[in-house]
């Protein structure tokens, strides 16, 4: 009897709690299914909005089959299907970016479809894109007239540089896809459309520099570049959906765990400094980095620096055009992109035309944590001092060219001395 009584006193409370436990369990499961479904739906919606490679291919191939455009990759894209879209990397619906495969080589495919997508158009329709984008040059334009068009366009974008005629010749050579010594209307329309894209223009202008991705081919205004293996200085970046959830210390630890060895980081940093040197009073004028971010810079498998995203770089003429006559109340009103800022003339309420913070100061801000973590002890103090000096650079580029070059060369020399004559050099 005591045993039976004891058993009952234990079993009844358990039995009384079981329905409550089942309800809580079901509630948790239901909540998990709801949250999971919501996340899956949002991911699908985001993916379908951002990733429209099929629309890009449809538009480009429609124009190619009509004979409106041409290009070195058109046949592979539209007929032989040897240029394949694979993993979507797009961050904007109007700028389609894909990791792809071209003749068994990994590549990056970029295609802008902003002009083609209208709010009232059906996703599966083929817009009259030739009217919007492939409208120049018109039939009857002579080769001399086309060259003049190109020269005037380049002057408006790069300034009146003595090197522009040579750049026009290179553009003509690239446009002549079939190598017959002539440029057809379709070839001219395609290269003209490409030149309207800021990144393509900069990539083409900086083609001789080893720190930009190589152009491999094009079709209309779709273009193909080499794939850069590492798209962050640290080798890995925190996924966007985790960035807002993780504290800054977690970001820092992740970067430190996956970062290359310090000598390799020094080699990558030297490449980045060389890039800054190349675009400061370069062959085709001045270029400004208008968003200094870890996501825009990377490196290849040999730890050579590579600029990942040139869309965040602007020509001096582009920035001057943006600032000219612009109304302002404070310096922040005179900002092109994220951080190309000029001063505001508070008496005239207009922006001045020169960017104040040079590229070098922005780059040194990126390199500070990157180079100081794990730096050799005998180098750390001097390195910190030089980076601090570099980050405080300001003033008009035209007035500080000598100082700019001195700071840059001192920093490059300090890093190079430490890794020269080693396996890392």
């Amino acid at each position: 009897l005591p045993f039976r009584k004891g058993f009952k006193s234990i079993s009844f409370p358990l039995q009384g709690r079981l329905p409550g436990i089942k309800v809580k369990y079901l509630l948790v499961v239901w909540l998990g299914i709801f949250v999971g479904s919501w996340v899956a739906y949002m991911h699908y919606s985001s993916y379908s909005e951002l990733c429209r490679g099929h629309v890009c291919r449809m538009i480009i191939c429609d124009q190619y089959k009509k004979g409106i455009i041409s290009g070195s990759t058109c046949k592979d894209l539209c007929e032989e299907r040897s240029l394949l879209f694979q993993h979507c990397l797009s961050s904007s619906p109007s700028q389609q970016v894909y990791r792809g495969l071209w003749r068994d080589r990994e590549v990056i495919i970029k295609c802008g479809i902003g002009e083609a997508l209208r709010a009232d158009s059906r996703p599966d329709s083929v817009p009259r894109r030739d009217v919007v984008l492939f409208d120049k040059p018109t039939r009857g334009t002579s080769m001399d007239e086309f060259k003049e068009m190109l020269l005037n366009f380049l002057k408006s974008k790069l300034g009146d540089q003595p090197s522009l005629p040579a750049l026009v010749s290179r553009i003509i050579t690239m446009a002549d896809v079939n190598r017959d010594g002539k440029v057809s209307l379709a070839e001219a329309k395609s290269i003209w459309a490409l030149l309207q894209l800021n990144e393509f223009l900069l990539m083409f202008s900086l083609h001789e520099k080893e720190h930009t991705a190589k152009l491999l081919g094009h079709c209309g205004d779709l273009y193909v570049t080499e794939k850069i293996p590492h798209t962050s200085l640290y080798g890995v970046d925190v996924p966007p959906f985790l960035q807002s959830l993780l504290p800054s210390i977690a970001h820092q630890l992740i970067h430190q765990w996956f970062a290359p060895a310090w000598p390799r980081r020094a080699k990558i940093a030297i490449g980045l400094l060389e890039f800054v040197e190349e675009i400061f009073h370069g062959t085709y004028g001045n270029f400004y980095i208008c968003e200094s971010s870890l996501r825009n810079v990377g490196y290849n498998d040999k730890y050579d620096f590579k600029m990942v995203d040139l869309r965040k770089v602007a020509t001096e003429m582009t920035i001057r055009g943006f600032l000219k006559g612009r109304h302002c109340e404070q310096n922040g009103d005179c900002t092109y992109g994220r951080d190309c800022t000029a001063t505001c003339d508070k008496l005239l309420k207009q922006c001045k035309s020169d960017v104040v913070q040079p590229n070098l100061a922005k780059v040194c801000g990126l390199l500070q944590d990157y180079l100081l973590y794990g730096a050799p002890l005998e180098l750390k103090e001097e390195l910190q001092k030089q980076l601090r000096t570099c980050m405080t650079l300001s003033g008009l580029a035209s007035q500080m060219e000598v100082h700019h070059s001195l700071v840059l060369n001192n920093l490059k020399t300090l890093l190079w001395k430490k890794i020269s004559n080693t396996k890392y050099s």
Side-chain angles (χ1 to χ4, degrees), residues 72-250:
S72 56
T73 65
C74 290
K75 190 174 181 181
D76 292 334
L77 177 71
C78 304
E79 295 177 13
E80 298 179 357
R81 296 295 180 105
S82 57
L83 176 58
L84 304 173
F85 289 74
Q86 291 185 323
H87 182 62
C88 177
L89 305 173
S90 306
S91 58
S92 165
S94 63
Q95 182 67 29
Q96 293 295 290
V97 182
Y98 280 79
R99 189 179 298 138
L101 202 63
W102 186 28
R103 298 176 183 174
D104 299 324
R105 176 180 181 176
E106 285 190 305
V107 295
I108 298 296
I109 306 168
K110 298 189 177 184
C111 173
I113 59 175
E115 300 86 353
L117 295 177
R118 305 292 177 89
D120 57 350
S121 68
R122 292 179 291 110
D124 56 345
S125 64
V126 179
R128 291 289 310 282
R129 195 163 182 240
D130 52 305
V131 177
V132 180
L133 182 62
F134 303 114
D135 57 342
K136 290 181 181 179
T138 56
R139 189 172 298 279
T141 302
S142 68
M143 179 62 80
D144 288 339
E145 288 172 329
F146 184 50
K147 285 181 179 179
E148 191 66 25
M149 273 179 64
L150 290 172
L151 186 61
N152 289 334
F153 172 76
L154 293 175
K155 283 179 181 178
S156 70
K157 293 294 182 180
L158 303 174
D160 193 1
Q161 311 291 335
S163 53
L164 292 187
L167 190 59
V168 169
S169 298
R170 284 190 45 244
I171 292 170
I172 295 294
T173 301
M174 182 179 181
D176 182 15
V177 176
N178 58 10
R179 299 290 183 265
D180 64 353
K182 303 173 184 177
V183 177
S184 68
L185 186 60
E187 290 171 338
K189 283 179 180 289
S190 298
I191 201 69
W192 180 260
L194 279 169
L195 290 170
Q196 310 312 304
L197 305 175
N198 178 65
E199 184 178 44
F200 180 88
L201 175 62
L202 267 62
M203 199 176 290
F204 197 80
S205 302
L206 299 170
H207 80 288
E208 297 171 347
K209 313 305 180 186
E210 60 186 53
H211 303 306
T212 57
K214 289 186 176 67
L215 278 167
L216 302 178
H218 74 282
C219 180
D221 70 331
L222 174 150
Y223 58 104
V224 181
T225 72
E226 66 171 328
K227 177 193 167 189
I228 298 172
H230 305 281
T231 55
S232 169
L233 285 180
Y234 287 96
V236 68
D237 209 357
V238 180
F241 66 91
L242 283 179
Q243 287 182 1
S244 58
L245 300 176
L246 295 176
S248 58
I249 187 67

Side-chain angles (χ1 to χ4, degrees), residues 292-306:
S292 47
S293 167
L294 293 172
R295 292 184 186 179
N296 300 333
V297 288
Y299 59 94
N300 63 16
D301 291 331
K302 295 180 180 178
Y303 299 95
D304 297 318
F305 169 79
K306 292 285 183 179

Side-chain angles (χ1 to χ4, degrees), residues 195-362:
L195 290 170
Q196 310 312 304
L197 305 175
N198 178 65
E199 184 178 44
F200 180 88
L201 175 62
L202 267 62
M203 199 176 290
F204 197 80
S205 302
L206 299 170
H207 80 288
E208 297 171 347
K209 313 305 180 186
E210 60 186 53
H211 303 306
T212 57
K214 289 186 176 67
L215 278 167
L216 302 178
H218 74 282
C219 180
D221 70 331
L222 174 150
Y223 58 104
V224 181
T225 72
E226 66 171 328
K227 177 193 167 189
I228 298 172
H230 305 281
T231 55
S232 169
L233 285 180
Y234 287 96
V236 68
D237 209 357
V238 180
F241 66 91
L242 283 179
Q243 287 182 1
S244 58
L245 300 176
L246 295 176
S248 58
I249 187 67
H251 287 233
Q252 188 176 1
L253 288 173
I254 290 170
H255 284 155
Q256 290 176 357
W257 287 337
F258 291 97
W262 187 87
R264 286 180 172 144
R265 275 181 277 144
K267 182 183 178 184
I268 296 166
I270 290 170
L272 176 50
L273 293 170
E274 286 174 348
F275 176 74
V276 170
E277 198 170 21
E278 289 164 356
I279 63 175
F280 183 69
H281 289 324
T283 308
Y284 301 111
N286 288 329
F287 299 84
Y288 289 91
I289 300 171
C290 291
E291 185 178 323
S292 47
S293 167
L294 293 172
R295 292 184 186 179
N296 300 333
V297 288
Y299 59 94
N300 63 16
D301 291 331
K302 295 180 180 178
Y303 299 95
D304 297 318
F305 169 79
K306 292 285 183 179
M307 196 70 186
V308 174
D309 192 351
L310 282 170
R311 287 177 297 169
K312 309 302 182 184
V313 178
T315 67
E316 184 176 18
M317 294 297 291
T318 298
I319 296 175
R320 284 180 178 274
F322 171 82
L323 295 171
K324 187 176 180 180
R326 190 174 186 83
H327 176 80
C328 63
E329 299 291 337
Q330 55 189 357
N331 290 352
D333 299 328
C334 304
T335 302
Y336 180 89
R338 182 177 290 181
D339 53 17
C340 279
T341 303
T343 53
C344 174
D345 188 325
K346 294 183 179 179
L347 290 176
L348 297 176
K349 302 288 185 183
Q350 283 194 345
C351 297
K352 295 184 178 179
S353 58
D354 290 299
V355 174
V356 175
Q357 189 182 33
N359 292 326
L360 185 58
K362 300 174 191 176

Side-chain angles (χ1 to χ4, degrees), residues 17-33:
R17 285 197 298 268
L18 278 176
I21 292 172
K22 286 181 180 177
V23 170
K24 288 179 183 176
Y25 175 74
L26 289 172
L27 183 63
V28 170
V29 170
W30 177 83
L31 189 61
I33 292 172

